[in-house]
Amino acid sequence: MTAATHSPLFPQVPAVPDSADAVLEGLDPEQREVATALRGPVCVLAGAGTGKTRAITHRIAYGVRSGILQPASVLAVTFTNRAAGEMRGRLRQLGAQGVQARTFHSAALRQLQYFWPKAVGGSLPRLVDRKIQLVADAAAGLGTRLDRGELRDVTGEIEWCKVTQTIPADYPYAAAKAGREAPRDPTEIAHLYAAYEDLKRDRAVIDFEDVLLLTVAVLQDRQDIAEQVRAQYQHFVVDEYQDVSPLQQRLLDLWLGDRDDLCVVGDASQTIYSFTGATPDHLLDFRARHPGATVVKLVRDYRSTPQVVRLANGLLAQAHGRAADHRLELVSQRPSGPEPGYTEYTDEPAEAEGAARRIRELIDAGVPAAEIAVLFRTNSQSETYEQALADAGVPYQLRGAERFFDRPEVRKAGLALRGAARFGGNDSRLDDVVDLPSQVRAVLSGEGGWTIQPPAGSGAVRERWESLTALVNLAQDLAAARPGATLADFVAELDERAAAQHAPTVQGVTLASLHAAKGLEWDAVFLVGVAEGMLPITYARTDEQIEEERRLLYVGVTRARERLHVSWSLSRSPGGRHSRRPSRFLDGLRPGTTPTVGRSAGSVGGVERGIRGVDATAVPRRAQRTPARCRVCGRTLTDAGEMKLMRCEDCPSDMDEGLYERLREWRAVQAANSGQPDFCVFTDRTLMAIAENRPDSPAELSRIPGVLSRKLRSYGAEVLAICAGQELDDEIAVD
């Protein structure tokens, strides 16, 4: 299974935690620090497999359940619909419904659609899913011929320009400064970029990057709209912060305004998307921008065995550059497992056959196919492994291929299920079935031709069966999590998942590029083609590019929970010259090679607290609240009355009864003199809190909930006099 479905799609978790403190149960010390650090800014440096999603979702839930954060005021942003869907699911399980968890683009698009009529007028231009055809049309308009590869590369350059906020005229200079190898003459690409923008304008369409650019423009130009957004969202959480582009950071800054209620989570050692404009600089410079930030380092690895973690740490120990200076030294929390395997093959087909043979053995030994992955550097390597797995009778799925909910069989199944949910009472197939999984199986068997037993062989028929089986399994998980779920509930769940592209797990070995594998995990991982020229890729020439290739291998290694197999081949095809050699990244790590002198150990886990009151921009911070805790038992308080008393209702009170009665008598006089009810002076709870705490200074009195600055000025002197046992006939003055 992938990380998104490491537990079932609807995990069998205990009931929603019954209190804020119960949300914290089961967290390790560093995760607990993240969860309870509700005052921003907070930076979480989280190594692979250290439970970062758990930490930040529990942080949000703890803040909501303790009354510090209002659900509707929290915006959590990440980079994939799958990750956002997983975050929303976890928050629901923790009793923190109502929190917005979205991708940057989804959040921006929602705001843009809402404010466009007010900011610009009319309706928002149509959003195009794929820009490559527009780029082709722009090139044709200039008389430029681009082959398929060039078209893809030029489109990538345009996307990079937009996320780095580079205009067409500046492209040649910006590309040279960034060390980018342009697929064509930089001046020609600049003209193509300009023509592409003109064509979009003529056709009244916008692309994916325009969503962010236009949202930034609206928030910059319209202060009233910016203030409205900031009034809605007051607390921000950003996952995978090492992948933020300059454009996304600009949008985040505009969302924040002059506030710093921000928690960011990331790992510089997993920065593998710099070619798209992502940069870890925002993560690495966070403490410089926010000197008062709390920094928490998560290094306890709950995913991988000590053997896998040792290899991962060894890879980074040989790294260089700024990201390497901030690397984290992982510490495995799992039992010991097998050592990683290393295999050399004569050619690529032999390597693919060897991997397929080992995978077949694992499946025969009881390892589910969905718990196995084959990871490679480029998508072009996939075909050889598809053929080898098919020949071995192993089902597989391509990650990054056609989206699950766009598959014809899934669309057809959705229509059939929707019809059955609406008219099921007249459907004879549902006469003898009452539970949800049986209903789904009946509908898919009739309309989709689904069978309990898989078809023989592989290919399109098997892939179709796997898709329908994923729907059956989804129904079983929903029924287990929500016993009363109906077919209509299941259809609603499918609609929600389709909108978020949160696909269920398809049973089959995953074939994926290393980039596509980011954020996922499997029991057994086969890293193939780990040879010079492929990893690092041949066009990685600068030190920076080489180090990103090393991080890419690190990401691949850390996808494995228990078993890891690393392989390479000496030639591309049978009978070819054996000119390849294993990747330099394996030197000193695989058996039989000389260890390389490593760097000092990376950062260990822990907490670094910033200097409060120090701010890099000297912008005053608004007052922030921290969770209220019972001064008797230490439990987090959520009831307003208990928060005033600073203790649980049923915890023993040390209240001075005589003082409480004198305060009540004084309050009655004040209320009568002002012609208002008693509680408008002070509530009973506030008087009880005063009688329990017996303050002897204005500062102590002001710390009691309910004693606001206005009331302190009006009544403070008299209340303190009563607490000191003085007669109110005496002349009283506020110190």
Side-chain angles (χ1 to χ4, degrees):
M1 292 185 182
T2 64
T5 52
H6 179 31
S7 13
L9 289 162
F10 299 93
Q12 297 300 298
V13 296
V16 172
D18 59 7
S19 67
D21 288 338
V23 172
L24 302 178
E25 293 176 3
L27 300 181
D28 68 31
E30 292 78 29
Q31 291 172 342
R32 182 178 285 256
E33 286 285 350
V34 174
T36 56
L38 296 176
R39 295 186 61 190
V42 176
C43 179
V44 183
L45 302 177
T50 57
K52 68 179 178 64
T53 304
R54 177 179 174 83
I56 59 176
T57 52
H58 282 247
R59 178 183 190 270
I60 295 170
Y62 179 66
V64 169
R65 298 292 300 276
S66 63
I68 303 304
L69 305 178
Q70 295 303 311
S73 72
V74 180
L75 178 59
V77 288
T78 186
F79 284 81
T80 66
N81 287 315
R82 178 196 59 78
E86 180 185 2
M87 191 177 292
R88 286 193 295 271
R90 292 199 189 196
L91 289 170
R92 282 197 301 268
Q93 294 163 11
L94 293 170
Q97 296 91 337
V99 173
Q100 292 292 312
R102 298 179 175 274
T103 64
F104 269 102
H105 285 85
S106 172
L109 180 59
R110 193 173 186 222
Q111 293 174 18
L112 197 59
Q113 289 170 330
Y114 183 81
F115 290 112
W116 187 268
K118 179 179 179 180
V120 181
S123 58
L124 184 69
R126 180 174 63 87
L127 176 64
V128 293
D129 290 333
R130 299 176 71 249
K131 61 174 68 66
I132 199 161
Q133 185 57 53
L134 278 173
V135 175
D137 292 347
L142 293 176
T144 302
R145 299 189 62 179
L146 301 175
D147 62 33
R148 188 172 180 178
E150 288 177 319
L151 191 58
R152 184 182 62 248
D153 291 342
V154 169
T155 301
E157 289 303 291
I158 290 175
E159 291 174 348
W160 176 80
C161 287
K162 301 187 81 163
V163 300
T164 56
Q165 302 173 83
T166 301
I167 62 175
D170 291 344
Y171 172 75
Y173 170 76
K177 184 179 179 182
R180 296 183 74 83
E181 291 194 12
R184 293 177 75 100
D185 179 82
T187 302
E188 187 177 15
I189 292 179
H191 291 319
L192 284 168
Y193 178 17
Y196 167 77
E197 291 297 309
D198 290 340
L199 187 60
K200 281 199 294 100
R201 202 159 27 249
D202 293 342
R203 295 184 181 179
V205 296
I206 59 175
D207 63 25
F208 206 48
E209 289 73 36
D210 288 332
V211 171
L212 300 185
L213 284 164
L214 291 171
T215 306
V216 165
V218 168
L219 295 178
Q220 283 181 161
D221 295 344
R222 291 291 298 269
Q223 184 65 23
D224 57 330
I225 292 177
E227 290 302 327
Q228 193 172 340
V229 171
R230 291 166 192 161
Q232 169 69 51
Y233 297 117
Q234 298 164 12
H235 190 91
F236 297 86
V237 177
V238 184
D239 194 12
E240 303 289 2
Y241 194 55
Q242 77 279 350
D243 292 332
V244 166
S245 70
L247 178 57
Q248 289 165 330
Q249 181 62 46
R250 179 63 186 138
L251 177 59
L252 180 61
D253 290 340
L254 287 166
W255 282 340
L256 277 166
D258 61 0
R259 303 164 300 175
D260 60 4
D261 280 331
L262 172 65
C263 173
V264 301
V265 189
D267 179 11
S269 296
Q270 296 187 68
T271 304
I272 58 173
Y273 297 110
S274 66
F275 63 92
T276 67
T279 170
D281 289 346
H282 304 298
L283 176 67
L284 299 178
D285 293 338
F286 192 84
R287 195 66 175 278
R289 296 197 315 274
H290 303 282
T294 296
V295 178
V296 184
K297 298 178 182 179
L298 305 182
V299 298
R300 301 173 197 252
D301 188 323
Y302 297 96
R303 176 189 299 159
S304 305
T305 63
Q307 288 76 11
V308 173
V309 166
R310 189 181 306 120
L311 175 57
N313 286 336
L315 278 171
L316 293 188
Q318 301 178 16
H320 302 278
R322 193 173 182 217
D325 292 338
H326 294 80
R327 77 189 192 283
L328 300 168
E329 188 87 6
L330 299 177
V331 181
S332 176
Q333 307 296 301
R334 296 199 56 180
S336 184
E339 289 289 340
Y342 301 88
T343 308
E344 182 174 275
Y345 293 93
T346 56
D347 52 65
E348 285 185 10
E351 185 179 3
E353 290 169 9
R357 186 170 55 252
R358 288 174 179 263
I359 289 170
R360 179 77 265 174
E361 292 170 356
L362 287 176
I363 293 174
D364 292 343
V367 179
E371 292 285 5
I372 304 172
V374 178
L375 307 182
F376 32 74
R377 176 61 179 84
T378 67
N379 287 316
S380 62
Q381 296 169 268
S382 171
E383 185 178 358
T384 305
Y385 290 89
E386 291 179 56
Q387 185 62 55
L389 290 172
D391 292 344
V394 175
Y396 65 86
Q397 58 170 323
L398 280 171
R399 182 161 186 86
E402 185 179 29
R403 297 191 296 190
F404 180 84
F405 289 103
D406 290 340
R407 298 175 186 176
E409 65 271 17
V410 174
R411 291 202 303 270
K412 183 179 178 182
L415 290 173
L417 290 165
R418 186 170 286 103
R422 186 175 302 169
F423 308 111
N426 300 320
D427 193 331
S428 60
R429 293 171 301 183
L430 303 182
D431 287 347
D432 300 323
V433 292
V434 292
D435 64 284
L436 176 61
S438 297
Q439 290 176 334
V440 172
R441 284 193 291 267
V443 172
L444 296 185
S445 298
E447 290 288 337
W450 179 81
T451 59
I452 294 178
Q453 295 299 322
S458 58
V461 174
R462 178 60 183 249
E463 288 182 10
R464 180 174 172 276
W465 183 87
E466 295 286 0
S467 297
L468 298 179
T469 300
L471 295 178
V472 172
N473 294 336
L474 182 64
Q476 293 171 341
D477 288 335
L478 177 58
R482 293 159 52 188
T486 65
L487 198 55
D489 294 330
F490 182 66
V491 170
E493 176 68 26
L494 288 181
D495 288 342
E496 183 178 337
R497 284 173 172 269
Q501 287 300 325
H502 184 195
T505 300
V506 175
Q507 291 300 316
V509 172
T510 300
L511 295 175
S513 70
L514 288 166
H515 284 102
K518 176 76 169 65
L520 308 177
E521 58 186 73
W522 297 268
D523 278 350
V525 169
F526 289 77
L527 291 175
V528 299
V530 187
E532 285 293 307
M534 192 58 73
L535 201 64
I537 199 76
T538 185
Y539 54 74
R541 296 188 178 91
T542 68
D543 290 343
E544 226 171 74
Q545 292 168 337
I546 294 295
E547 287 308 313
E548 181 148 339
E549 294 289 300
R550 188 195 306 274
R551 293 194 295 271
L552 197 54
L553 180 56
Y554 171 80
V555 166
V557 168
T558 54
R559 300 310 95 193
R561 299 193 195 108
E562 297 177 11
R563 297 177 178 87
L564 179 64
H565 299 268
V566 183
S567 64
W568 59 91
S569 56
L570 299 177
S571 66
R572 184 175 183 276
S573 55
R577 188 165 61 91
H578 291 183
S579 58
R580 294 179 174 176
R581 71 177 185 88
S583 170
R584 71 190 77 173
F585 299 145
L586 299 177
D587 291 348
L589 300 175
R590 62 187 177 90
T593 58
T594 304
T596 304
V597 177
R599 298 157 60 89
S600 58
S603 296
V604 298
V607 184
E608 299 174 9
R609 305 194 187 280
I611 304 172
R612 291 295 171 192
V614 177
D615 187 270
T617 58
V619 176
R621 296 178 53 185
R622 67 178 178 83
Q624 303 201 36
R625 298 158 57 202
T626 55
R629 295 184 179 277
C630 174
R631 54 192 170 83
V632 179
C633 70
R635 183 179 68 85
T636 300
L637 303 176
T638 56
D639 178 77
E642 291 182 341
M643 291 170 70
K644 281 192 175 183
L645 293 175
M646 294 304 292
R647 65 170 174 80
C648 303
E649 186 73 45
D650 52 359
C651 279
S653 169
D654 55 356
M655 183 177 70
D656 183 329
E657 296 286 350
L659 174 57
Y660 177 63
E661 288 304 321
R662 291 196 298 276
L663 288 169
R664 282 173 57 86
E665 292 171 1
W666 166 82
R667 181 184 64 178
V669 173
Q670 295 297 323
N673 290 341
S674 60
Q676 57 186 348
D678 287 0
F679 67 82
C680 289
V681 180
F682 284 122
T683 65
D684 286 347
R685 295 274 187 173
T686 300
L687 294 186
M688 290 174 67
I690 293 172
E692 287 185 354
N693 286 275
R694 295 182 287 278
D696 60 9
S697 70
E700 288 186 8
L701 180 58
S702 68
R703 283 195 288 269
I704 295 175
V707 182
L708 305 177
S709 58
R710 178 179 57 81
K711 293 190 177 184
L712 182 65
R713 290 193 300 271
S714 301
Y715 307 124
E718 294 189 7
V719 169
L720 290 172
I722 294 171
C723 291
Q726 298 177 20
E727 293 295 333
L728 290 186
D729 292 335
D730 296 342
E731 185 176 343
I732 306 231
V734 178
D735 293 336

